[in-house]
Amino acid sequence: MRRAMALQGVCVVELAGLAPGPFCGMILADFGAQVVRVDRPGAGGDVSHLSRGKRSLVVDLKRPRGVTVVRRLCARADVVLEPFRRGVMEKLQLGPEILLKENPKLIYARLSGFGHSGRFSTVAGHDINYLALSGVLSKLGRSGENPYAPLNLLADFGGGGLMCALGIVMALFERTRSGKGQVIDASMVKGTAYISSFLWKTQHTGLWEQPRGENLLDGGAPFYTTYRTADGEFMAVGALEPQFYELLIKGLGLKSDELPNQMSMSDWPQMKKKFADIFAKKTKAEWCQIFDGTDACVTPVLTFEEVAHHDHNKERGSFITDGEQGVSPRPAPLLSNTPAIPSKRDPFVGEHTEEILKEFGVSQEEIDQLMSDKIIESNKLKANL
């Protein structure tokens, strides 16, 4: 028997966008929410490939009757998720003032880079820009090099999509007490700054007093960095505590009484070179044999091709295979009573247009007329091939 998921019964209307919005919607869908993605006519689908478990409805929002269709959906939805800059939804007559008046219980989630106030709220940007404005980018990078962004993960997905999903769940919980919806202003700049709170709170502890890339946790320490192996692969080392560092030293075939003190920062560059020379003499597999099962905090840097086959990940079922045999991470965290049961595939654009409209009380006659007038599109036949 299929178990109920945590967000079962929650209806979400997601306006199609890039990366952060689709990820937020996918989190909600993975944990049981009914997510309707509103696509544009002629759209080729979610270029972010983060639409697992959603249904697709194609509506032309440039035409008033298309806007009316979406307003009908939002009048019965629990959540609307929109990914646009300030003013776009208001121009479409889909702003929170209108939708919350029609549905006072609606959670109106606004996910944007710079937020819906402030001088940058109407300008374009991407993950690296939000990361830069949050202050976090200034801390990322090697010594003597320019700051660099770790892919587009931190702002788009950590400070953006994930933080917005958290806001939605909190607002849904609050609604159980007040019976009222509210507006969520999820800015990727603010979200990224918030998840960096540890950096701010430890500014005066000595952790970050050296230049970028020369501190304990940013690649400066020889016991908290990565090393190349004999086969061109890499090992990650995180032996911070003295007892773990001792196990690292032992595994490397060294003697601690013949080495400088672990926390002697002036010796770190020399120690890093020593460690690098030793790691370069064995393959990744050989180092795994030495360190697996120990508390030395040394692990292989797994590639995407390797990660799903690693014993630990296989034992936990950490990765799943979709209907097209693509591998991706299983939804997290694991809930003991109501775990996520992810769908096997993404929807085709417009696959569920008629189905969704009927559920929301639109008659077949209205649907036919909207289709004839090209207000909506349906690609049901494509989905059945």
Side-chain angles (χ1 to χ4, degrees), residues 200-272:
W200 291 90
K201 297 290 188 180
T202 56
Q203 277 188 100
H204 304 297
T205 64
L207 266 182
W208 315 107
E209 63 185 11
Q210 300 302 313
R212 178 178 60 250
E214 298 178 20
N215 297 281
L216 182 70
L217 298 174
D218 63 5
F223 48 85
Y224 201 86
T225 188
T226 58
Y227 292 99
R228 185 183 293 270
T229 58
D231 52 347
E233 298 291 327
F234 298 91
M235 298 294 288
V237 176
L240 290 168
E241 293 80 1
Q243 67 272 29
F244 302 154
Y245 181 72
E246 186 62 37
L247 293 172
L248 166 65
I249 296 303
K250 180 181 176 183
L252 293 176
L254 298 170
K255 296 180 179 178
S256 55
D257 57 3
E258 297 176 357
L259 300 173
N261 182 277
Q262 178 186 0
M263 292 299 173
S264 175
M265 296 181 76
S266 61
D267 291 302
W268 281 0
Q270 178 189 351
M271 290 300 297
K272 193 181 287 188

Side-chain angles (χ1 to χ4, degrees), residues 137-149 211-214 218-219 272:
L137 186 56
S138 70
K139 297 291 186 182
L140 305 176
R142 293 293 185 184
S143 175
E145 298 180 7
N146 293 355
Y148 67 82
R212 178 178 60 250
E214 298 178 20
D218 63 5
K272 193 181 287 188

